[in-house]
Amino acid sequence: MKIAVLSRNPRLYSTRRLVEAGQQRGHEMVVIDTLRAYMNIASHKPQIHYRGQALEGFDAVIPRIGASVTFYGCAVLRQFEMMGVFPLNESVAISRSRDKLRALQLLSRKGIGLPVTGFAHSPDDIPDLIQMVGGAPLVIKVLEGTQGMGVVLAETQKAAESVLEAFLGLKQDIMVQEYIREAGGADIRCFVVGDKVIAAMKRQAKPGEFRSNLHRGGSASLIKITPEERMTAVRAARVMGLNVAGVDILRSNHGPLVMEVNSSPGLQGIETTTGKDVAGIIVDHLEKHATHGQTRTKGRG
Ligand SMILES: Nc1ncnc2c1ncn2[C@@H]1O[C@H](COP(=O)(O)OP(=O)(O)OP(=O)(O)O)[C@@H](O)[C@H]1O
Ligand SMILES: [Mg+2]
C-alpha cells in the first residue's frame, strides 16, 4: 500500500515508528507536513498538492494531528477522504474528540462513566456552579490547557470560588470536575486499536502532585486492567468513532471514569512502557481495513 502520514515533523518518535513499521511490512510511507499541503476544494476531482505536485495513488492516511493544528489538519484529512483514501481515524471523529465539551456530552449520552463535570464560561453564580457538581474538593480546568497546565485542585469551597473568579477574568471556557481522590494521583492510558485495548499503562504523579502527566514528573508503568476498564475504553473510542484512540481513565470507587479520548495518542510512552510494537499493530489494522473509498462519512458531517 501507499500510506500517507500527516505529521508536522518526520523526526517525532510516533511518526518515525509508524514509517518504520509500514516499511517493514513492505508499504510505501510518505510523511506529509500537514500545514504545507494545499488543496483545490472546488474542482470535480478533489486534489491535494504538496511541494508543487499532486498527491496521488494513496490507499490510506494516518493522521497525526496536534491539538494546535486541529482545524487545518482536519480539512486536509477530509480532502483525503473526499479522494477516497482510507483514514486511520476519520476527520469527523477527530473533530468530535478535540471538542472536549462535545466529547464528554457524547460519552455521557451513551452512558459511559465520567467524573461529575460542569462546563462554564462566565457563570453568573459561582457558588451554585460549585454546588451543582457536588462541592469541593474540585478539579478546575481551563479547556485550552494541555500537559497538566491549567489544571488546578481546589480543596475547599473558598479555594474553588477564588480559582473560578480568577479564571472568569480570563474569559475562558472552564471545566469544573469532581476530584477523584481515590485514583491516588494515577490514571490509566488505554491504547485502543479497532475493538481492542492493545496496550495499557498506568501513569503515577510524583509525590505531592495529583496530575499524572509525564511532563509534570509523572512516571509510567505496566498495569493489568480489568474487563470493565477494557470495555469502557473500547466503548469510549467507538462512541467517538475513532479506530485508534488513547483513552484516559481514572479508577474510582464506583468503577472506571473516562477523562479524555485522545485521537492522536503518542507512541513513545506506551511502546517503551509495554514493550509492544504498537506502530506495527496500527499498520496491521490498516492492512485489514483500508479499502479505497471506504470512508464511512466520505468527509461529510
Ligand atoms: N477529576 C479528576 N480527579 C482526579 N485527578 C484528575 C482529575 N482530572 C484530572 N486529574 C489528573 O490531572 C491530570 C491532568 O488532567 P487532564 O488530563 O484533564 O489535563 P491535561 O493533561 O492538561 O489535558 P490533555 O489531557 O487534554 O492534554 C490527569 O492526568 C489526572 O492525573
Ligand atoms: Mg491529560
Side-chain angles (χ1 to χ4, degrees):
M1 292 199 289
K2 186 170 171 185
I3 303 174
V5 182
L6 275 183
S7 165
R8 294 250 36 220
N9 184 351
R11 285 181 301 277
L12 293 177
Y13 178 93
S14 303
T15 310
R16 271 195 292 118
R17 284 286 299 124
L18 287 162
V19 167
E20 213 172 84
Q23 286 170 346
Q24 272 168 7
R25 287 163 177 74
H27 302 300
E28 185 186 345
M29 306 299 289
V30 184
V31 178
I32 291 161
D33 180 346
T34 321
L35 293 187
R36 287 174 186 266
Y38 50 102
M39 0 180 222
N40 181 350
I41 58 161
S43 85
H44 292 299
K45 190 169 170 280
Q47 277 195 330
I48 304 177
H49 278 228
Y50 189 63
R51 297 188 171 162
Q53 290 196 332
L55 296 178
E56 274 165 2
F58 283 93
D59 302 290
V61 50
I62 301 179
R64 298 288 317 169
I65 297 175
S68 60
V69 297
T70 300
F71 189 71
Y72 193 75
C74 281
V76 175
L77 181 58
R78 201 152 50 233
Q79 189 80 356
F80 270 107
E81 291 165 6
M82 287 167 67
M83 291 158 59
V85 180
F86 182 89
L88 180 67
N89 277 329
E90 283 183 33
S91 55
V92 274
I94 296 174
S95 319
R96 215 181 262 141
S97 68
R98 282 289 158 81
D99 178 341
K100 292 192 183 182
L101 174 48
R102 183 178 178 198
L104 291 185
Q105 284 173 323
L106 286 168
L107 293 170
S108 150
R109 193 165 75 191
K110 294 290 179 185
I112 292 181
L114 305 172
V116 177
T117 303
F119 274 95
H121 182 90
S122 308
D124 56 9
D125 189 334
I126 289 178
D128 183 50
L129 169 64
I130 293 173
Q131 200 215 334
M132 189 177 79
V133 291
L138 286 175
V139 176
I140 302 169
K141 305 182 186 183
V142 185
L143 272 204
E144 302 286 295
T146 52
Q147 303 176 347
M149 270 192 317
V151 180
V152 179
L153 172 60
E155 294 268 12
T156 65
Q157 167 89 16
K158 275 269 154 295
E161 281 179 23
S162 31
V163 171
L164 283 167
E165 274 163 20
F167 281 172
L168 240 173
L170 301 174
K171 303 217 179 310
Q172 292 268 345
D173 295 327
I174 339 167
M175 193 194 284
V176 190
Q177 201 164 61
E178 161 195 19
Y179 174 49
I180 309 301
R181 190 184 295 281
E182 63 270 25
D187 71 351
I188 302 170
R189 160 61 59 96
C190 297
F191 205 107
V192 178
V193 177
D195 53 4
K196 284 200 183 78
V197 175
I198 55 114
M201 64 176 170
K202 173 175 156 172
R203 294 175 300 201
Q204 177 70 54
K206 63 181 184 197
E209 172 62 69
F210 79 103
R211 294 165 297 180
S212 63
N213 302 70
L214 303 182
H215 286 96
R216 312 218 73 82
S219 55
S221 61
L222 261 180
I223 189 172
K224 193 166 161 35
I225 59 170
T226 66
E228 194 190 3
E229 287 161 351
R230 204 168 274 283
M231 194 182 74
T232 302
V234 169
R235 282 187 61 210
R238 194 178 307 145
V239 170
M240 292 295 117
L242 293 168
N243 300 315
V244 170
V247 182
D248 293 340
I249 282 180
L250 291 169
R251 270 189 179 164
S252 85
N253 290 335
H254 46 285
L257 304 178
V258 172
M259 226 176 5
E260 204 192 358
V261 183
N262 196 316
S263 56
S264 287
L267 300 188
Q268 187 159 22
I270 196 84
E271 284 197 338
T272 31
T273 306
T274 63
K276 293 216 169 121
D277 176 11
V278 175
I281 298 173
I282 289 175
V283 175
D284 291 343
H285 178 85
L286 272 186
E287 285 177 3
K288 242 183 247 141
H289 295 90
T291 353
H292 192 79
Q294 280 310 294
T295 319
R296 230 178 315 135
T297 59
K298 304 263 188 322
R300 285 190 294 268

